[in-house]
């Protein structure tokens, strides 16, 4: 019985041992499988981490690229807007210029030297410098008679106008000569050796460009000052002319008036079209109140001109009225 019990116990223990061994084998197999799975997961994790890093770098690069593209796009947009505005302004100026060329009475309101502004400056000279010059000519001993003093002031204005127009013509000729003859040494220019059959000429289109350049530069303060100084130097010779229209002391007394006349005449000559003063007034001509204002007395006909009316070009409209002295009307006694 003891033997039988021992054998039975041994079988049970052996059976338990085999079960434990089998369980251990199963656990080992499972453990190995888990290790293999963990290794695979670790590999997948490293791959995903690498891909994540690549995606993040790509996203970062794309963000920078998109920022650069946006900046470029914004810059291009601003450039296009600027070009559009520039073209629009140029088109507007061109249209305005063509409209002005067709009708001189249409002003360019962006131009500080437009006709109406020059007309105001012209009238201001009569109110200020003309009055002072008139007093210098009539009140200082020996003073000139009223009519003679006014004639001197009108003639001084005419001389300033002629001087500025002649100076402008000379300047344009010089500009054309510089462009046509770069060397400025025509004595050494042999037309036969060059094989040229005709001399170069400035086309009407190029002449307009030169004129536009001259007009833009001509309004600068330094140029205006040079014109005034040149005219003052020329005025010193006016008393030596054959007709003896001017006296040296009278010219000196009117120096501020001459300087202002030089400035306004230069600017009026630069204007396109040039402003025109109507100087041709004959005694006995009908006094037109639409063109003239009375100087000191009323009347139906003109005795003499005091200050000329100003027109916007040869065929343009009236910018400012002139001043004239009518012939005094004498009432006949019955």
């Amino acid at each position: 019985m003891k033997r039988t019990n021992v054998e039975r116990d041994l079988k049970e223990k052996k059976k338990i041992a085999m079960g434990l061994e089998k369980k251990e084998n199963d656990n080992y197999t499972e453990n190995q499988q888990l290790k293999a799975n963990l290794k695979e997961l670790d590999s997948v994790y490293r791959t995903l981490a690498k891909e994540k890093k690549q995606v993040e770098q790509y996203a970062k690069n794309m963000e920078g690229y998109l920022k650069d593209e946006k900046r470029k796009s914004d810059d291009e947009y601003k450039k296009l807007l600027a070009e559009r505005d520039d073209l629009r302004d140029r088109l507007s100026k061109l249209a305005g210029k063509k409209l002005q060329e067709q009708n001189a009475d249409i002003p360019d309101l962006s131009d500080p030297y437009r006709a109406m502004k020059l007309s105001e400056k012209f009238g201001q000279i009569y109110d200020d410098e003309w009055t002072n010059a008139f007093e210098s000519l009539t009140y200082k001993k020996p003073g000139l008679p009223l009519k003679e003093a006014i004639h001197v002031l009108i003639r001084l204005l005419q001389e300033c106008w002629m001087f500025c127009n002649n100076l402008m013509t000379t300047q344009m000729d010089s500009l054309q000569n510089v462009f046509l003859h770069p060397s400025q040494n025509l004595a050494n220019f042999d037309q036969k050796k060059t094989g040229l059959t005709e001399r170069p000429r400035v086309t009407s289109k190029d002449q307009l460009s030169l004129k536009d350049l001259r007009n833009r530069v001509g309004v600068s303060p330094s140029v205006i000052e040079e014109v005034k100084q040149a005219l003052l130097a020329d005025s010193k010779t006016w008393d030596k002319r054959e007709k003896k229209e001017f006296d040296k002391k009278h010219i000196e007394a009117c120096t501020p008036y001459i300087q202002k006349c030089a400035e306004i005449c230069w600017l009026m000559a630069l204007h396109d079209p040039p402003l025109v003063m109507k100087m041709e007034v004959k005694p006995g001509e009908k006094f037109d109140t639409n063109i003239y204002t009375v100087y000191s007395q009323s009347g139906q006909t003109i005795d003499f001109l005091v200050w000329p009316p100003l027109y916007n070009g040869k065929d343009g409209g009236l910018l400012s009225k002139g001043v004239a002295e009518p012939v005094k009307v004498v009432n006949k006694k019955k």
Side-chain angles (χ1 to χ4, degrees), residues 249-262:
K249 61 183 179 182
H250 294 149
I251 293 174
E252 292 176 352
C254 295
T255 295
Y257 170 72
I258 293 172
Q259 285 185 306
K260 278 295 183 179
C261 287

Side-chain angles (χ1 to χ4, degrees), residues 126 130 150 153-154 295 304-308 323-325:
Y126 176 71
W130 186 95
I150 290 175
L153 294 175
I154 282 287
Y295 177 64
F304 57 88
L305 181 67
V306 179
W307 190 250
V323 181
E325 180 70 338

Side-chain angles (χ1 to χ4, degrees), residues 100 104 111 113-116 118 168 211 215 266-275 312-313:
Q100 280 183 292
D111 183 8
Y113 299 100
R114 60 187 181 273
M116 190 53 66
L118 296 180
M168 193 164 293
K211 186 178 179 182
N215 291 358
W266 176 255
L267 293 174
M268 290 193 306
L270 278 178
H271 189 270
D272 189 18
L275 304 189
N312 190 8

Side-chain angles (χ1 to χ4, degrees), residues 242-293:
E242 293 180 2
K243 293 183 179 180
K244 296 288 184 181
E245 292 182 280
F246 304 110
D247 187 282
K248 184 177 181 180
K249 61 183 179 182
H250 294 149
I251 293 174
E252 292 176 352
C254 295
T255 295
Y257 170 72
I258 293 172
Q259 285 185 306
K260 278 295 183 179
C261 287
E263 178 179 347
I264 194 63
C265 285
W266 176 255
L267 293 174
M268 290 193 306
L270 278 178
H271 189 270
D272 189 18
L275 304 189
V276 174
M277 298 180 291
K278 183 183 178 183
M279 293 287 192
E280 301 78 15
V281 179
K282 297 179 180 179
E285 185 178 320
K286 182 182 178 181
F287 190 95
D288 189 346
T289 55
N290 294 317
I291 300 176
Y292 301 99
T293 58

Side-chain angles (χ1 to χ4, degrees), residues 3 28 39 54 73 95 99 107 120 136 148 155 181-183 186 193 199 207 215 222 226 241 247 298-299 324 327-328:
R3 181 180 175 183
Y28 177 77
K39 187 176 181 180
Q54 290 175 345
S73 178
L99 191 61
E120 292 174 4
S136 297
E148 188 175 342
R155 286 291 297 117
H181 310 290
S183 68
L186 301 181
K193 290 182 178 180
R199 306 289 292 181
Q207 194 165 8
N215 291 358
S222 60
E226 185 172 334
R241 296 179 180 175
D247 187 282
S298 60
V327 177
K328 186 176 181 180

Side-chain angles (χ1 to χ4, degrees), residues 89-203:
D89 292 342
R90 288 167 61 186
L91 181 61
S92 177
K93 289 180 180 178
L94 182 61
K97 187 174 182 180
K98 285 189 176 293
L99 191 61
Q100 280 183 292
E101 288 174 355
Q102 296 172 0
N103 190 341
D105 294 327
I106 298 177
D108 178 8
L109 298 180
S110 65
D111 183 8
Y113 299 100
R114 60 187 181 273
M116 190 53 66
K117 286 292 183 180
L118 296 180
S119 173
E120 292 174 4
K121 290 178 180 289
F122 186 68
Q124 195 66 41
I125 292 175
Y126 176 71
D127 292 337
D128 299 334
E129 283 76 18
W130 186 95
T131 302
N132 296 335
F134 177 78
E135 292 178 354
S136 297
L137 291 175
T138 55
Y139 295 163
K140 292 182 179 180
K141 294 182 180 180
L144 293 175
L146 180 146
K147 189 172 181 179
E148 188 175 342
I150 290 175
H151 176 71
V152 168
L153 294 175
I154 282 287
R155 286 291 297 117
L156 288 173
L157 177 61
Q158 285 179 313
E159 287 295 329
C160 291
W161 177 249
M162 288 187 292
F163 178 87
C164 288
N165 276 274
N166 291 335
L167 185 62
M168 193 164 293
T169 301
T170 303
Q171 184 190 40
M172 181 57 73
D173 291 341
S174 299
L175 278 173
Q176 292 183 11
N177 193 51
V178 167
F179 282 102
L180 292 175
H181 310 290
S183 68
Q184 295 295 294
N185 189 0
L186 301 181
N188 296 332
F189 183 82
D190 191 338
Q191 190 170 355
K192 293 181 180 179
K193 290 182 178 180
T194 61
L196 297 174
T197 57
E198 61 180 20
R199 306 289 292 181
R201 295 182 181 181
V202 175
T203 65

Side-chain angles (χ1 to χ4, degrees), residues 43-68:
S43 177
V44 171
Y45 173 78
R46 286 196 299 269
T47 301
L48 290 175
K50 185 177 180 180
E51 290 179 354
K52 178 186 175 184
K53 190 174 182 181
Q54 290 175 345
V55 169
E56 289 176 347
Q57 184 63 38
Y58 177 77
K60 188 175 181 181
N61 293 340
M62 284 299 296
E63 184 180 4
Y65 172 77
L66 291 174
K67 284 183 178 179
D68 290 341

